Protein backbone atom coordinates (compact mmCIF):
# COMPACT_ATOMS: atom_id res chain seq x y z
CA UNK A 1 0.00 0.00 0.00
CA UNK A 2 2.09 2.91 -1.27
CA UNK A 3 2.07 6.67 -0.69
CA UNK A 4 0.45 7.05 -4.14
CA UNK A 5 -2.47 4.79 -3.09
CA UNK A 6 -2.93 7.00 -0.01
CA UNK A 7 -2.76 10.22 -2.05
CA UNK A 8 -5.36 8.81 -4.50
CA UNK A 9 -7.70 8.24 -1.52
CA UNK A 10 -7.83 4.49 -2.13
CA UNK A 11 -7.61 3.96 1.63
CA UNK A 12 -11.37 4.68 1.74
CA UNK A 13 -12.12 1.23 0.26
CA UNK A 14 -10.14 -0.62 2.92
CA UNK A 15 -11.52 -2.49 6.02
CA UNK A 16 -9.85 -1.12 9.20
CA UNK A 17 -9.86 -2.95 12.57
CA UNK A 18 -11.73 -1.02 15.33
CA UNK A 19 -9.13 0.99 17.37
CA UNK A 20 -8.92 -0.40 20.89
CA UNK A 21 -8.57 2.62 23.12
CA UNK A 22 -8.46 0.40 26.24
CA UNK A 23 -5.24 -1.35 25.19
CA UNK A 24 -2.42 -0.76 27.71
CA UNK A 25 0.37 1.36 26.28
CA UNK A 26 4.03 0.73 27.15
CA UNK A 27 4.63 2.05 30.68
CA UNK A 28 6.54 5.38 30.27
CA UNK A 29 10.09 5.10 31.62
CA UNK A 30 10.45 7.13 34.82
CA UNK A 31 13.85 8.41 33.71
CA UNK A 32 16.84 8.16 36.04
CA UNK A 33 19.39 10.37 37.76
CA UNK A 34 22.80 10.69 36.13
CA UNK A 35 25.48 8.72 38.05
CA UNK A 36 27.65 11.86 38.44
CA UNK A 37 24.76 13.71 40.06
CA UNK A 38 24.03 10.81 42.39
CA UNK A 39 27.65 10.68 43.59
CA UNK A 40 27.71 14.51 43.83
CA UNK A 41 24.65 14.45 46.11
CA UNK A 42 26.21 11.71 48.26
CA UNK A 43 29.46 13.68 48.68
CA UNK A 44 27.56 16.92 49.27
CA UNK A 45 25.77 15.20 52.16
CA UNK A 46 29.06 13.92 53.61
CA UNK A 47 30.43 17.49 53.69
CA UNK A 48 27.22 18.90 55.18
CA UNK A 49 27.14 16.30 57.98
CA UNK A 50 30.76 17.27 58.72
CA UNK A 51 29.76 20.94 59.16
CA UNK A 52 31.03 22.31 55.84
CA UNK A 53 29.27 25.16 54.03
CA UNK A 54 29.02 25.02 50.20
CA UNK A 55 30.94 27.72 48.30
CA UNK A 56 29.27 29.63 45.47
CA UNK A 57 31.03 28.30 42.37
CA UNK A 58 28.79 29.53 39.55
CA UNK A 59 31.57 31.33 37.69
CA UNK A 60 33.38 29.12 35.19
CA UNK A 61 35.32 32.18 33.97
CA UNK A 62 37.90 33.53 36.42
CA UNK A 63 40.71 36.09 36.30
CA UNK A 64 44.27 34.76 36.38
CA UNK A 65 44.59 36.84 39.52
CA UNK A 66 42.18 34.66 41.52
CA UNK A 67 43.01 31.44 39.68
CA UNK A 68 46.78 31.75 40.07
CA UNK A 69 48.28 34.95 41.58
CA UNK A 70 46.24 34.97 44.81
CA UNK A 71 47.41 31.37 45.31
CA UNK A 72 51.06 32.47 45.06
CA UNK A 73 51.42 30.60 41.75
CA UNK A 74 54.18 32.47 39.87
CA UNK A 75 53.34 34.08 36.52
CA UNK A 76 55.96 32.03 34.66
CA UNK A 77 54.62 28.71 36.05
CA UNK A 78 54.05 26.22 33.19
CA UNK A 79 50.46 25.55 34.33
CA UNK A 80 49.69 29.17 33.39
CA UNK A 81 50.42 28.90 29.68
CA UNK A 82 47.92 28.05 26.98
CA UNK A 83 49.04 24.43 26.81
CA UNK A 84 47.35 23.82 30.16
CA UNK A 85 44.91 26.71 30.50
CA UNK A 86 42.02 27.96 28.37
CA UNK A 87 42.35 31.76 27.99
CA UNK A 88 39.28 33.79 27.02
CA UNK A 89 39.31 35.94 23.88
CA UNK A 90 36.38 38.18 24.81
CA UNK A 91 36.28 39.51 27.42
CA UNK A 92 40.01 38.82 27.54
CA UNK A 93 40.63 40.77 30.75
CA UNK A 94 38.82 41.13 34.06
CA UNK A 95 36.99 44.34 34.87
CA UNK A 96 38.21 44.98 38.39
CA UNK A 97 40.51 43.62 41.07
CA UNK A 98 40.77 44.59 44.77
CA UNK A 99 43.58 47.18 44.50
CA UNK A 100 44.96 47.10 48.06
CA UNK A 101 45.03 43.28 48.09
CA UNK A 102 46.55 43.25 44.58
CA UNK A 103 49.48 45.35 45.85
CA UNK A 104 50.12 42.86 48.65
CA UNK A 105 50.02 39.94 46.16
CA UNK A 106 52.43 41.78 43.85
CA UNK A 107 54.77 42.37 46.77
CA UNK A 108 54.71 38.76 48.04
CA UNK A 109 55.45 37.43 44.51
CA UNK A 110 58.30 39.91 43.95
CA UNK A 111 60.01 40.08 47.33
CA UNK A 112 58.11 37.82 49.75
CA UNK A 113 57.56 38.93 53.35
CA UNK A 114 56.23 37.01 56.38
CA UNK A 115 59.56 35.14 56.40
CA UNK A 116 59.39 34.28 52.66
CA UNK A 117 61.88 35.38 49.97
CA UNK A 118 59.14 35.47 47.32
CA UNK A 119 60.00 34.56 43.72
CA UNK A 120 62.23 37.57 42.92
CA UNK A 121 60.64 38.39 39.54
CA UNK A 122 58.80 41.42 38.18
CA UNK A 123 55.08 40.69 38.74
CA UNK A 124 52.88 42.10 35.92
CA UNK A 125 49.31 43.30 36.43
CA UNK A 126 48.33 42.58 32.81
CA UNK A 127 49.19 38.90 33.36
CA UNK A 128 46.88 38.77 36.39
CA UNK A 129 44.07 40.48 34.48
CA UNK A 130 43.81 37.75 31.81
CA UNK A 131 40.53 35.86 31.95
CA UNK A 132 40.66 32.05 31.96
CA UNK A 133 38.34 29.10 32.36
CA UNK A 134 39.18 28.23 35.97
CA UNK A 135 41.62 25.34 36.15
CA UNK A 136 40.61 24.43 39.72
CA UNK A 137 37.94 25.31 42.25
CA UNK A 138 40.77 26.57 44.47
CA UNK A 139 40.23 29.89 42.64
CA UNK A 140 36.85 30.11 44.40
CA UNK A 141 38.45 29.00 47.67
CA UNK A 142 40.83 31.98 47.33
CA UNK A 143 37.89 34.38 46.94
CA UNK A 144 36.06 32.86 49.91
CA UNK A 145 39.12 32.90 52.17
CA UNK A 146 39.85 36.52 51.17
CA UNK A 147 36.37 37.61 52.24
CA UNK A 148 36.71 35.57 55.48
CA UNK A 149 40.00 37.36 56.20
CA UNK A 150 38.19 40.74 56.05
CA UNK A 151 35.81 39.71 58.85
CA UNK A 152 36.60 40.67 62.42
CA UNK A 153 36.68 38.91 64.83
CA UNK A 154 38.10 35.93 62.91
CA UNK A 155 35.76 32.92 63.11
CA UNK A 156 36.90 29.41 62.05
CA UNK A 157 35.05 28.10 58.97
CA UNK A 158 34.71 24.91 56.89
CA UNK A 159 33.85 25.20 53.18
CA UNK A 160 33.43 22.80 50.29
CA UNK A 161 32.76 22.92 46.55
CA UNK A 162 31.93 20.43 43.80
CA UNK A 163 31.95 21.95 40.33
CA UNK A 164 33.43 21.99 36.84
CA UNK A 165 37.03 22.93 36.12
CA UNK A 166 38.73 23.18 32.73
CA UNK A 167 42.20 22.13 31.61
CA UNK A 168 43.64 22.41 28.14
CA UNK A 169 44.86 18.82 28.06
CA UNK A 170 44.84 16.06 25.49
CA UNK A 171 41.61 14.08 25.89
CA UNK A 172 41.74 10.30 26.09
CA UNK A 173 39.74 7.40 27.53
CA UNK A 174 40.08 8.64 31.08
CA UNK A 175 40.72 12.37 30.61
CA UNK A 176 38.49 15.12 29.21
CA UNK A 177 39.26 18.83 28.95
CA UNK A 178 36.96 19.36 31.91
CA UNK A 179 36.08 17.49 35.08
CA UNK A 180 34.30 18.13 38.37
CA UNK A 181 36.64 18.99 41.20
CA UNK A 182 35.64 18.28 44.78
CA UNK A 183 37.39 20.51 47.32
CA UNK A 184 37.25 20.82 51.10
CA UNK A 185 38.93 23.53 53.19
CA UNK A 186 39.12 24.25 56.91
CA UNK A 187 40.40 27.62 58.17
CA UNK A 188 41.18 27.89 61.89
CA UNK A 189 43.83 28.96 64.40
CA UNK A 190 46.78 26.57 64.79
CA UNK A 191 45.75 23.80 62.37
CA UNK A 192 48.51 21.26 61.72
CA UNK A 193 49.21 18.43 59.29
CA UNK A 194 47.79 16.03 61.90
CA UNK A 195 44.44 17.84 61.63
CA UNK A 196 44.59 17.44 57.84
CA UNK A 197 45.34 13.71 58.11
CA UNK A 198 42.47 13.28 60.58
CA UNK A 199 39.88 15.13 58.48
CA UNK A 200 40.98 13.13 55.42
CA UNK A 201 40.52 9.86 57.34
CA UNK A 202 37.03 11.00 58.47
CA UNK A 203 36.00 12.22 55.00
CA UNK A 204 37.18 9.24 52.96
CA UNK A 205 35.89 6.76 55.55
CA UNK A 206 32.40 8.13 54.87
CA UNK A 207 33.08 7.39 51.19
CA UNK A 208 33.89 3.79 52.12
CA UNK A 209 37.67 4.14 51.94
CA UNK A 210 39.82 3.51 55.02
CA UNK A 211 43.50 2.66 55.69
CA UNK A 212 44.79 5.65 53.79
CA UNK A 213 48.42 6.25 52.84
CA UNK A 214 49.91 9.75 52.52
CA UNK A 215 52.78 10.58 50.17
CA UNK A 216 54.66 13.90 50.27
CA UNK A 217 54.24 15.94 47.09
CA UNK A 218 54.41 19.57 45.90
CA UNK A 219 51.74 22.09 44.91
CA UNK A 220 52.50 25.78 44.19
CA UNK A 221 50.06 26.96 46.84
CA UNK A 222 50.39 24.39 49.61
CA UNK A 223 53.36 23.40 51.78
CA UNK A 224 53.51 20.67 53.01
CA UNK A 225 51.38 18.76 50.49
CA UNK A 226 50.31 15.12 50.39
CA UNK A 227 48.94 12.78 47.77
CA UNK A 228 46.31 10.48 49.28
CA UNK A 229 46.12 6.75 48.51
CA UNK A 230 43.65 4.09 49.59
CA UNK A 231 43.90 0.34 49.18
CA UNK A 232 40.98 -0.66 46.96
CA UNK A 233 39.76 -4.17 47.94
CA UNK A 234 37.92 -4.60 44.64
CA UNK A 235 40.84 -3.58 42.42
CA UNK A 236 43.36 -5.19 44.83
CA UNK A 237 45.71 -2.22 44.54
CA UNK A 238 46.53 1.19 46.02
CA UNK A 239 44.50 3.87 44.24
CA UNK A 240 45.40 7.56 44.27
CA UNK A 241 42.25 9.18 45.65
CA UNK A 242 43.23 12.84 45.94
CA UNK A 243 45.68 15.58 46.79
CA UNK A 244 45.90 17.88 49.82
CA UNK A 245 48.00 20.37 51.75
CA UNK A 246 48.31 23.40 53.99
CA UNK A 247 47.90 26.75 52.23
CA UNK A 248 51.16 28.72 52.31
CA UNK A 249 51.59 31.88 54.42
CA UNK A 250 52.39 33.70 51.12
CA UNK A 251 48.76 33.00 50.18
CA UNK A 252 47.01 33.59 53.52
CA UNK A 253 48.94 36.51 55.04
CA UNK A 254 48.42 38.96 52.08
CA UNK A 255 44.66 38.26 52.47
CA UNK A 256 44.89 39.73 55.95
CA UNK A 257 44.67 36.65 58.19
CA UNK A 258 46.37 36.87 61.61
CA UNK A 259 49.70 34.98 61.83
CA UNK A 260 48.32 31.98 63.79
CA UNK A 261 45.49 31.29 61.31
CA UNK A 262 46.18 28.36 58.98
CA UNK A 263 44.07 26.56 56.37
CA UNK A 264 44.12 22.91 55.35
CA UNK A 265 42.52 21.72 52.11
CA UNK A 266 42.15 18.73 49.86
CA UNK A 267 40.74 17.87 46.45
CA UNK A 268 39.62 14.96 44.33
CA UNK A 269 37.55 14.51 41.19
CA UNK A 270 33.91 13.46 40.92
CA UNK A 271 34.45 11.38 37.77
CA UNK A 272 37.07 9.01 39.22
CA UNK A 273 34.93 7.70 42.10
CA UNK A 274 31.82 7.64 39.89
CA UNK A 275 33.57 5.55 37.23
CA UNK A 276 34.80 3.10 39.85
CA UNK A 277 31.54 2.95 41.82
CA UNK A 278 29.53 2.40 38.60
CA UNK A 279 32.10 0.26 36.78
CA UNK A 280 32.38 2.73 33.87
CA UNK A 281 35.72 2.35 32.09
CA UNK A 282 35.36 5.01 29.42
CA UNK A 283 34.87 8.52 30.77
CA UNK A 284 32.97 9.46 27.60
CA UNK A 285 30.14 7.20 28.79
CA UNK A 286 29.63 9.77 31.57
CA UNK A 287 29.01 12.63 29.20
CA UNK A 288 26.44 13.30 26.55
CA UNK A 289 24.89 10.90 24.02
CA UNK A 290 26.82 7.76 23.09
CA UNK A 291 29.00 9.03 20.27
CA UNK A 292 32.38 7.68 19.22
CA UNK A 293 34.56 10.80 19.22
C1 LIG B 1 44.21 16.73 36.40
O1 LIG B 1 43.82 15.59 37.14
C2 LIG B 1 43.55 15.90 38.48
C3 LIG B 1 42.63 14.84 38.93
C4 LIG B 1 41.77 15.10 40.13
C5 LIG B 1 42.24 16.06 41.14
C6 LIG B 1 43.56 16.11 41.58
C7 LIG B 1 43.91 17.02 42.57
C8 LIG B 1 42.94 17.86 43.13
C9 LIG B 1 43.29 18.76 44.17
C10 LIG B 1 43.58 19.50 45.05
C11 LIG B 1 43.92 20.39 46.11
C12 LIG B 1 45.14 20.23 46.78
C13 LIG B 1 45.46 21.07 47.81
C14 LIG B 1 44.59 22.09 48.21
C15 LIG B 1 43.37 22.24 47.54
C16 LIG B 1 43.03 21.40 46.49
C17 LIG B 1 41.61 17.79 42.69
C18 LIG B 1 41.28 16.88 41.69
C19 LIG B 1 41.99 13.61 40.43
C20 LIG B 1 42.24 13.25 41.84
N1 LIG B 1 42.18 11.79 41.97
C21 LIG B 1 40.97 11.17 42.27
O2 LIG B 1 39.94 11.80 42.33
N2 LIG B 1 41.05 9.82 42.51
C22 LIG B 1 40.00 9.06 43.08
C23 LIG B 1 39.10 9.60 44.00
C24 LIG B 1 38.12 8.78 44.58
C25 LIG B 1 38.03 7.44 44.23
O3 LIG B 1 37.05 6.68 44.82
C26 LIG B 1 36.85 5.36 44.35
C27 LIG B 1 35.71 4.67 44.95
C28 LIG B 1 37.16 4.28 45.16
C29 LIG B 1 38.93 6.90 43.29
C30 LIG B 1 39.92 7.72 42.73
C31 LIG B 1 43.48 11.14 41.90
C32 LIG B 1 43.84 10.63 40.52
O4 LIG B 1 42.69 10.09 39.88
C33 LIG B 1 44.48 11.64 39.56
O5 LIG B 1 45.18 10.89 38.61
C34 LIG B 1 43.51 12.52 38.83
N3 LIG B 1 43.20 13.66 39.58
Amino acid sequence: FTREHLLRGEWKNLEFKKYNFDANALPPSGGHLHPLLKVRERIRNIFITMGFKEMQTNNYVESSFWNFDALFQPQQHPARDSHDTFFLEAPSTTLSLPESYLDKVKHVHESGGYGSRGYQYEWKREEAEKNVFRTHTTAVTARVLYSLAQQRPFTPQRYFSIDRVFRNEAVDRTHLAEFHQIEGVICDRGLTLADLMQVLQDFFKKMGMSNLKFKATCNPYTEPSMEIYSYHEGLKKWVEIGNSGMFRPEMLRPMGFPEDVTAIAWGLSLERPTMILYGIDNIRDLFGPKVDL
Side-chain angles (χ1 to χ4, degrees), residues 167 181 183 209 232 240-241 243 265 267-269 272-273 276:
R167 305 227 174 148
Q181 180 176 347
E183 183 163 342
M209 288 174 270
H232 193 274
E240 185 187 347
I241 58 171
N243 192 305
L268 62 151
S269 75
R272 281 283 191 282
I276 290 181

Side-chain angles (χ1 to χ4, degrees), residues 64-95:
S64 294
F65 178 80
W66 288 108
N67 198 82
F68 296 117
D69 295 288
L71 300 171
F72 196 55
Q73 187 146 0
Q75 295 190 329
Q76 65 274 34
H77 192 284
R80 295 187 65 158
D81 73 24
S82 59
H83 297 296
D84 286 44
T85 299
F86 288 114
F87 288 85
L88 244 72
E89 212 163 270
S92 62
T93 56
T94 190
L95 286 176

Side-chain angles (χ1 to χ4, degrees), residues 48-67:
I48 289 167
T49 48
M50 290 176 73
F52 287 71
K53 274 185 267 183
E54 186 155 14
M55 293 186 258
Q56 190 188 344
T57 57
N58 59 337
N59 65 304
Y60 292 163
V61 172
E62 186 56 272
S63 63
S64 294
F65 178 80
W66 288 108
N67 198 82

Side-chain angles (χ1 to χ4, degrees), residues 36 39 164 174 176 178-182 268-277 280 283 286-287:
L36 274 180
V39 176
R164 287 179 180 216
T174 60
L176 289 176
E178 62 181 79
F179 66 93
H180 290 76
Q181 180 176 347
I182 298 164
L268 62 151
S269 75
L270 183 61
E271 283 76 11
R272 281 283 191 282
T274 302
M275 287 173 75
I276 290 181
L277 292 171
I280 297 165
I283 193 165
L286 276 180
F287 288 92

Side-chain angles (χ1 to χ4, degrees), residues 151-195:
Q151 290 160 31
R152 289 289 180 276
F154 167 73
T155 52
Q157 293 291 342
R158 298 170 160 226
Y159 301 107
F160 78 95
S161 60
I162 308 175
D163 209 337
R164 287 179 180 216
V165 296
F166 307 85
R167 305 227 174 148
N168 191 357
E169 273 174 353
V171 295
D172 63 23
R173 205 173 48 79
T174 60
H175 289 87
L176 289 176
E178 62 181 79
F179 66 93
H180 290 76
Q181 180 176 347
I182 298 164
E183 183 163 342
V185 58
I186 305 177
C187 185
D188 200 344
R189 295 188 189 284
L191 288 173
T192 67
L193 199 60
D195 298 301

